[in-house]
Amino acid sequence: MDLTGATWRKSTRSGQGECIEVADNLPGVVGVRDSKDPAGPVLTFDPQTWRAFVTFAKRR
């Protein structure tokens, strides 16, 4: 998956410790990576699946 041009951001609720970064500015894909290892592996999701996950997580 080519993530060239991805704009990575952390959650406004994340602290200085362990967190993830999300890139949701690319068409058809959302990337998720470990903020401590930006050159490491990236999980990718289609936008609909990512929205479903975020909606579920907000309910918890």
Side-chain angles (χ1 to χ4, degrees):
M1 172 76 38
D2 182 17
L3 296 174
T4 302
T7 301
W8 296 95
R9 62 181 174 79
K10 290 182 187 179
S11 168
T12 56
R13 294 184 180 191
S14 68
Q16 296 295 326
E18 300 174 11
C19 56
I20 62 168
E21 294 177 318
V22 176
D24 57 2
N25 66 305
L26 301 173
V29 66
V30 175
V32 180
R33 70 181 184 185
D34 184 344
S35 65
K36 295 179 308 305
D37 187 14
V42 175
L43 296 173
T44 57
F45 302 91
D46 65 80
Q48 181 180 3
T49 301
W50 182 250
R51 280 191 301 273
F53 169 75
V54 170
T55 298
F56 176 81
K58 285 181 179 180
R59 293 182 195 158
R60 299 286 168 217

